[in-house]
Amino acid sequence: MGRVNIRTLLKKKQQGERITMVSTYDYISAKLCQEAGIDSILVGDSLGMVFQGLDSTLPVTLEEMIYHAKAVRRGAPDLFLVVDMPFMSYQVSPEEALKNCGRVLKETGAQAVKIEGGEEIAEIAYRLIRSGIPVVGHLGFTPQHVNIFGGPKVVGKHREEEEKLKKDFKALENAGVQIIVLESVPTTLAKELTESSEAITIGIGAGKFCDGQVLVFHDLVGLYEDKKPKFVRRYVEGANIFREALKNFREDVVRGDFPSEEESYGS
Ligand code: KIV
């Protein structure tokens, strides 16, 4: 079938087929995503919290994103790969954005970069796209603005917020953005944006009418227990299973039951 590309995803939208995206950061989980038939992987800067144990995405660096994206690409050579651009790697100037996003595409094999924001980054998105760097947008609750928001929140409940979100969406569309992540947005607003646009919407906490859905790998397999937002569905209680396995290993070693003869080399 070959690698999933933007045309594959646009065709899915046109045919009313839902798109699946998983945010993850390493070779093994990426390989599992590809084996499970997921369409796309986002190497999200949520790795700051989930992989590094930080309390926000802000300290994540460009070098770290490139390191993780390379590992993910090795695990999932056939999936549509998007890499999050970290805080302050694209906002300063179009020139810096071009340099940093260009590096990501050249060094990781990603097919697009994701940047957060609407009207204020539309010019940058336009310049990137014109230079051959596809851009995925991110609207609604944007984690890199956590200090402006004061913490996670639903965005678009009030008239003013709704109008702003619609303007931001239009600005990204006009810049040529073909995929837009909607995070923590009311279902009706996400539905309206999805139905009125040719751009693909990928929801996370944005209801079931988006063209696709994204979840963080460690959330959906129940490994990340620090926080569980309302929109997360755990498909397995991974942390319990892993803890149990580790306890069993520990007990076997302490009792002298591991390794057995079969697990050892003879003379
Ligand atoms: O960083 C991330 O993983 C994300 C998704 C949750 C959309 O931005």
Side-chain angles (χ1 to χ4, degrees), residues 21-25 42-47 49 57 84 114 116 138 143 181 183 202 204 214-216 219 231:
M21 179 185 269
V22 171
S23 176
T24 199
Y25 330 113
L42 165 68
V43 183
D45 60 357
S46 55
L47 72 83
M49 283 90 87
T57 61
D84 247 345
K114 178 163 80 59
E116 296 184 5
H138 187 153
V181 171
E183 178 164 349
I202 305 284
I204 176 156
V214 57
L215 278 180
V216 170
D219 282 336
F231 54 74

Side-chain angles (χ1 to χ4, degrees), residues 24 27 36 56 63 65 67 71-72 88 96 103 128 156-157 163 186 194 198 203 216-217 228-229 246 256 267:
T24 199
Y27 168 79
S56 83
E63 299 306 323
M65 293 309 297
Y67 170 88
V72 165
M88 285 302 133
E96 251 189 70
R103 255 196 84 191
L128 290 169
K157 269 194 190 167
E163 289 311 314
T194 302
E198 281 175 20
V216 170
F217 178 87
K228 186 184 174 298
L246 290 164
S267 52

